[in-house]
Amino acid sequence: MENKLKDELLLISLHRISFLSLAEKIILLKKLDSFVDLALMSLNDICSVCGREIRSSVWDGKQNQAAAERELRIIEAKKIHWLFYAGSEYPALLRECPNAPFLLFYRGNSGCLFGRTVSVVGTRRVTREGRRAAWEFSRDAANAGCTVVSGLAAGIDSAAHRGAVEACFSAVEAGSEANAGKTAAVLPCGCDEVLPHSNAALAEKILLSGGCLVSEYVPGVPAEPWRFVQRNRIIAALSPAAVVIQAPRGSGALITAQYALEYNRDVMFHKACFCENACKVSSLVENELSRKAMMGKVSRSKTENTAERYLEAGAPVIDGYEDYVKCLAEVPGIRSAEKQQLQLF
């Protein structure tokens, strides 16, 4: 038990060093015998082991050890678990990514991250059609035994989780729970917290239905704007494909789509993304972004990031889970942008 505690403290101590890459943490782990060895290292020692100059003025090994000990106590008290990058239970798809988390914390059933998964994402400024599409797609995916991965945000994410949860509860009532998929929510903060707070009841349903809440952050870490972007890369990495239900210009869902492409995943857009009401929302968002860009509050690149750009680059449009499965089996590029535009407008 004492050796296990030492190993856990070393992993937590390494995980929380923000200026180290995943590869550098793995290197240090192989070189160290315990968390005490890490606490005694100077910044120059770390640079020497990692083979590069590290510009950081905040390293204090003793403080890092004390913080890791506090965090481990919280983890144990709140019954939070973790998956280690080099462990056999770490999701294989996530391990493929060069910037995967060293540790992935979770509550619930991490087993749902194995098997078939699909990432479902979209905007908070959801339309009626978008909400319905997210719910139906995720319900059908879960009914087919697929785990739905999303971010528990308001709008599309919430609808996707609710659709999957509904499928799971219906399967339990029908006595076919073993065949049902689950849903996993990736959080931009410690998994002891739920954001938005209005989704606390939904988070409990996710856990009750056999799903999980996951995060790369230790308990107590608050959500920050940049952490939402970091969270998106995990959503993209956990599935072989990302389905964008609705995403106006500059939407965070399009950042997830970009991560998915970088990880060699498929990216698909639901037809609801281009319905009349979705186009109205996109127009409003475009005007808002243009004003902010003129004031220097957002970058021009954000205003230029649109769903239509992905279609022009060959991303397919689907109209439901069955079409998604069909699209996965098709030769890439068979759904040309010209044909899709004709079908949509």
Side-chain angles (χ1 to χ4, degrees):
M1 181 61 71
E2 185 178 353
N3 288 336
K4 180 184 177 184
L5 177 62
K6 288 181 179 178
D7 291 341
E8 290 177 341
L9 277 171
L10 177 56
L11 290 176
I12 296 291
S13 297
L14 283 169
H15 177 77
R16 65 186 323 280
I17 305 178
S18 59
F19 58 79
L20 292 179
S21 68
L22 169 64
E24 289 167 343
K25 291 175 183 178
I26 296 294
I27 291 171
L28 276 170
L29 181 63
K30 293 177 179 178
K31 296 282 187 180
L32 301 173
D33 291 326
S34 77
F35 66 95
V36 176
D37 295 336
L38 177 63
L40 294 175
M41 294 182 77
S42 67
L43 187 59
N44 286 336
D45 293 333
I46 294 175
C47 290
S48 178
V49 173
C50 294
R52 72 172 175 97
E53 182 180 357
I54 299 173
R55 298 183 181 279
S56 174
S57 59
V58 295
W59 171 249
D60 184 312
K62 291 293 186 181
Q63 286 186 4
N64 188 66
Q65 175 185 328
E69 290 172 342
R70 286 196 304 271
E71 289 163 357
L72 184 56
R73 288 195 293 270
I74 295 172
I75 288 167
E76 292 174 341
K78 296 194 174 185
K79 295 180 172 57
I80 292 170
H81 309 281
W82 73 68
L83 303 173
F84 170 46
Y85 174 82
S88 60
E89 296 182 348
Y90 195 91
L93 284 172
L94 184 57
R95 187 186 285 119
E96 292 176 0
C97 303
N99 55 350
F102 183 73
L103 297 179
L104 188 68
F105 299 92
Y106 70 93
R107 291 166 56 201
N109 169 32
S110 65
C112 70
L113 299 176
F114 294 86
R116 290 185 296 127
T117 55
V118 58
S119 297
V120 180
V121 296
T123 181
R124 292 171 176 81
R125 303 178 68 158
V126 63
T127 63
R128 180 181 66 255
E129 295 89 347
R131 182 178 289 108
R132 184 69 183 178
W135 190 91
E136 289 183 346
F137 180 94
S138 300
R139 176 203 60 191
D140 294 346
N143 278 333
C146 191
T147 292
V148 174
V149 180
S150 197
L152 200 61
I156 293 297
D157 290 14
S158 297
H161 290 304
R162 287 194 171 92
V165 164
E166 177 69 20
C168 292
F169 286 153
S170 296
V172 171
E173 292 177 2
S176 56
E177 180 183 7
N179 299 322
K182 312 296 181 185
T183 184
V186 185
L187 304 176
C189 54
C191 61
D192 58 324
E193 186 69 71
V194 172
L195 288 177
H197 298 302
S198 58
N199 270 346
L202 175 57
E204 286 303 312
K205 289 181 180 179
I206 290 173
L207 296 175
L208 286 172
S209 64
C212 67
L213 308 179
V214 302
S215 171
E216 66 179 314
Y217 304 112
V218 294
V221 171
E224 300 285 352
W226 62 270
R227 290 196 175 109
F228 285 86
V229 176
Q230 290 295 94
R231 177 271 307 274
N232 289 351
R233 86 187 196 285
I234 298 177
I235 294 175
L238 282 170
S239 301
V243 176
V244 181
I245 303 293
Q246 183 187 341
R249 186 181 297 264
S251 170
L254 298 177
I255 297 176
T256 306
Q258 185 57 47
Y259 275 126
L261 291 177
E262 291 174 5
Y263 298 153
N264 200 29
R265 310 297 197 243
D266 286 313
V267 173
M268 304 180 195
F269 287 79
H270 196 284
K271 195 172 182 178
C273 192
F274 308 98
C275 71
E276 182 178 355
N277 285 331
C279 290
K280 289 179 180 178
V281 170
S282 293
S283 180
L284 290 173
V285 171
E286 181 178 355
N287 291 335
E288 291 175 6
L289 287 177
S290 295
R291 287 195 296 271
K292 290 180 178 179
M294 291 178 63
M295 298 167 64
K297 293 183 177 181
V298 298
S299 66
R300 285 290 177 185
S301 61
K302 184 169 185 175
T303 67
E304 295 168 355
N305 196 13
T306 67
E308 288 75 12
R309 285 184 60 191
Y310 287 86
L311 262 61
E312 292 169 2
V317 177
I318 59 171
D319 62 11
Y321 180 73
E322 287 187 9
D323 196 27
Y324 161 81
V325 174
K326 179 182 177 182
C327 188
L328 279 179
E330 291 175 352
V331 175
I334 197 170
R335 303 191 184 204
S336 69
E338 292 81 4
K339 288 182 179 178
Q340 291 180 153
Q341 293 289 346
L342 289 173
Q343 293 171 351
L344 291 171
F345 303 110

